[in-house]
């Protein structure tokens, strides 16, 4: 009898949790198809006018989306190169100051974004060669690096280094890395890259400090739009982004397997 009560309570908590997570998403999707400019739920009908407004209106969301993708992709690729080799160095070798170096690599996670954005803005203000794109890119490279390092290190902690030693008997270091080490730590790299990319794409604080009229990212475009307009266009954007994220997750699950990314 007691086990039945526990199971019933667990099911109830699970249902409430899923409802809490999914209900806002369902409401946003439904509102995005509302023909009226008012934010109402349930919607009064069905219309794709707000999706059309994203591409044909005077909002310039497409440019903001392209800028956000460009920043996120470049920053993530750059940090994969840095993060993987940094993780290998601090995990494989023991040296003085190792823990301090790890703390330094992960410190951007614990620094308030607004403080870092202000410092970066003041530092780069007098350097004319730094365009808004360059400033935002530098900021994103710094703040997303810990996600790649921490996820890669979580895999390397249980890594069997004797595999590299055995492989090195008949292969050069480059072959050992690409044929042995990289395939085994790939789940950590991919999960870290995913988190880094999504965080960079969604980041608004640093971008708001360093953006300009000539270069704005998607989050800044949305904030600027909502200052003067309050219609379901933003809900339509959110729906497209949620659908895109779902497709990305399904593709990654097909190619790599999400289960391997959390083990």
């Amino acid at each position: 009898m007691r086990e039945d009560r526990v199971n019933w309570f667990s099911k109830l908590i699970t249902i409430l949790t899923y409802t809490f997570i999914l209900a806002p998403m369902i409401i946003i999707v439904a509102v995005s198809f509302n023909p009226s400019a008012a934010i109402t739920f349930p919607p009064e009908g069905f219309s794709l006018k707000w999706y059309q407004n994203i591409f044909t209106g005077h909002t310039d969301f497409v440019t903001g989306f392209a800028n956000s993708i460009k920043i996120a992709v470049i920053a993530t690729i750059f940090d994969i190169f840095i993060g993987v080799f940094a993780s290998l160095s601090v995990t494989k070798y023991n040296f003085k100051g190792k823990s301090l170096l790890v703390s330094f690599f992960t410190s951007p996670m614990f620094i308030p974004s607004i403080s870092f954005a202000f410092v970066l803005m003041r530092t780069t203000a007098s350097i004319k060669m730094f365009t808004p794109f360059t400033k935002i890119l530098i900021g994103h490279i710094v703040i997303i690096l810990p996600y790649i390092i921490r996820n890669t290190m979580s895999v390397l902690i249980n890594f069997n280094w004797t595999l590299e030693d055995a492989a090195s008997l008949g292969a050069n270091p480059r072959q050992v890395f690409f044929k042995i080490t990289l395939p085994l730590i790939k789940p950590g790299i991919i999960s870290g890259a995913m988190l880094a990319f999504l965080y960079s794409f969604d980041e608004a604080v640093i971008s708001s400090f360093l953006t300009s009229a000539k270069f704005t990212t998607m989050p800044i475009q949305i904030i600027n739009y909502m200052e003067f307009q309050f219609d379901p266009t933003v809900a339509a954007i959110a729906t497209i982004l949620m659908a895109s994220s779902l497709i990305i997750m399904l593709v990654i699950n097909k190619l790599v397997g999400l289960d391997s990314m959390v083990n």
Side-chain angles (χ1 to χ4, degrees), residues 14 34 77 91 106 125 155 158-159 180 182 184 189-190 241:
T14 302
N34 191 13
I77 292 175
T91 307
T106 58
V155 176
N158 299 318
F159 187 79
I180 303 297
L182 186 60
L184 292 175
I189 298 174
I190 293 177
L241 294 179

Side-chain angles (χ1 to χ4, degrees), residues 164-185:
E164 283 194 346
D165 296 334
S168 63
L169 297 177
N172 58 50
R174 180 177 176 276
Q175 292 174 325
V176 171
F177 175 76
F178 284 103
K179 294 183 178 295
I180 303 297
T181 308
L182 186 60
L184 292 175
I185 65 175

Side-chain angles (χ1 to χ4, degrees), residues 9-23:
F9 182 74
S10 299
K11 291 178 181 178
L12 177 62
I13 295 299
T14 302
I15 293 172
L16 291 175
T17 302
Y18 276 107
T19 302
F20 179 78
I21 295 173
L22 295 177

Side-chain angles (χ1 to χ4, degrees), residues 23 81 88 166 174 186 200 212:
F81 180 81
L88 286 169
R174 180 177 176 276
K186 183 172 64 175
S200 175
S212 69

Side-chain angles (χ1 to χ4, degrees), residues 126-187:
S126 58
I127 305 177
K128 302 300 182 183
M129 62 178 293
F130 283 170
T131 63
F133 169 81
T134 307
K135 295 176 184 178
I136 295 174
L137 178 61
I138 293 173
H140 284 213
I141 287 174
V142 173
I143 63 172
I144 69 175
L145 179 61
Y147 294 95
I148 295 177
I149 289 181
R150 288 176 67 93
N151 281 274
T152 305
M153 286 183 61
S154 66
V155 176
L156 286 171
I157 288 175
N158 299 318
F159 187 79
N160 187 1
W161 297 106
T162 58
L163 295 175
E164 283 194 346
D165 296 334
S168 63
L169 297 177
N172 58 50
R174 180 177 176 276
Q175 292 174 325
V176 171
F177 175 76
F178 284 103
K179 294 183 178 295
I180 303 297
T181 308
L182 186 60
L184 292 175
I185 65 175
K186 183 172 64 175

Side-chain angles (χ1 to χ4, degrees), residues 38-51:
I39 307 295
T40 57
F41 183 84
E44 302 170 357
F46 181 86
S47 175
L48 296 175
K49 62 185 293 186
W50 307 114
Y51 290 88

Side-chain angles (χ1 to χ4, degrees), residues 76-98:
T76 302
I77 292 175
F78 193 86
D79 277 345
I80 287 174
F81 180 81
I82 298 176
V84 169
F85 288 101
S87 301
L88 286 169
S89 299
V90 298
T91 307
K92 184 176 182 179
Y93 305 105
N94 291 317
F95 51 89
K96 188 176 182 180
K98 174 180 175 178

